[in-house]
Amino acid sequence: MRRLRLIDSAGERPEQEEEGHMKVAFATNDLKRVDAHFGGAKQMVFYDISEESSRLIEAVQFDNTSAEDGSHAGDDNDDRLGPKIDALKGCSLLFVLAIGGPAAARVIGLKIHPIKLPAIEAIPDVISRVQGMLKGNPPPWLRKVLLDDKHKMDFLEEEDA
């Protein structure tokens, strides 16, 4: 696994206690679109999203992925999902093309809301839709995410340490 974490040298980032910001993950193979099954994603990109802004904060590349058809190559004892689940720390939402039941249960167990898109979609378009929901009357599931104290930018604390 390789990580590229972006650091804002100007120090401009949302305050930790500021409401309405969330860390959102996107399963991607090309870094531009949600175009991957969770287990088969070669990369995940993470954005800080609020009503008015979005900022790429990290990209993670995975060495060990599952085939998009759900088959697994290699050792059956190898945990392909573990590194992906670990990378989701601090996320509120996860956008994927598909996600298997066991993986979805692990993601939900971390209080992350997985969202399956019906077709490949550009990440900026998905971000725009999320921002539209934040500006209007968010659906109940999104309001719950926004109110959860665990998802109020606590992922930034680790950068300060």
Side-chain angles (χ1 to χ4, degrees):
M1 177 169 63
R2 290 181 258 324
R3 288 181 179 264
L4 170 64
R5 186 170 289 161
L6 303 178
I7 299 172
D8 187 349
S9 61
E12 295 176 10
R13 65 178 185 204
E15 292 299 319
Q16 181 178 343
E17 296 301 319
E18 190 174 347
E19 291 185 30
H21 281 264
M22 64 178 76
K23 183 178 178 184
V24 179
F26 301 90
T28 181
N29 288 323
D30 67 4
L31 298 172
K32 298 175 186 174
R33 304 172 301 161
V34 177
D35 62 353
H37 183 285
F38 180 71
K42 294 176 187 169
Q43 287 117 185
M44 277 198 278
V45 292
F46 301 87
Y47 281 79
D48 166 48
I49 300 175
S50 72
E51 285 183 19
E52 301 297 329
S53 67
S54 66
R55 177 175 69 94
L56 174 65
I57 52 176
E58 186 173 31
V60 179
Q61 183 179 45
F62 302 97
D63 298 321
N64 197 0
T65 61
S66 299
E68 292 289 320
D69 65 3
S71 64
H72 305 286
D75 186 0
D76 287 338
N77 295 325
D78 191 15
D79 182 12
R80 288 170 194 80
L81 298 179
K84 290 181 181 172
I85 299 292
D86 292 342
L88 293 173
K89 179 182 178 189
C91 285
S92 300
L93 305 175
L94 165 65
F95 286 90
V96 297
L97 279 186
I99 187 167
R106 289 174 70 178
V107 168
I108 292 167
L110 294 174
K111 298 193 184 296
I112 299 166
H113 192 89
I115 301 165
K116 293 192 287 186
L117 297 180
I120 293 173
E121 192 169 343
I123 291 171
D125 294 343
V126 177
I127 290 172
S128 186
R129 277 206 331 268
V130 170
Q131 288 175 318
M133 285 189 283
L134 290 172
K135 288 178 186 175
N137 185 16
W141 63 266
L142 186 53
R143 275 182 279 180
K144 183 179 183 320
V145 167
L146 292 170
L147 293 175
D148 188 346
D149 285 341
K150 288 185 179 181
H151 296 297
K152 286 186 183 173
M153 300 302 286
D154 59 349
F155 67 94
L156 290 175
E157 270 186 357
E158 67 189 46
E159 292 178 11
D160 295 334

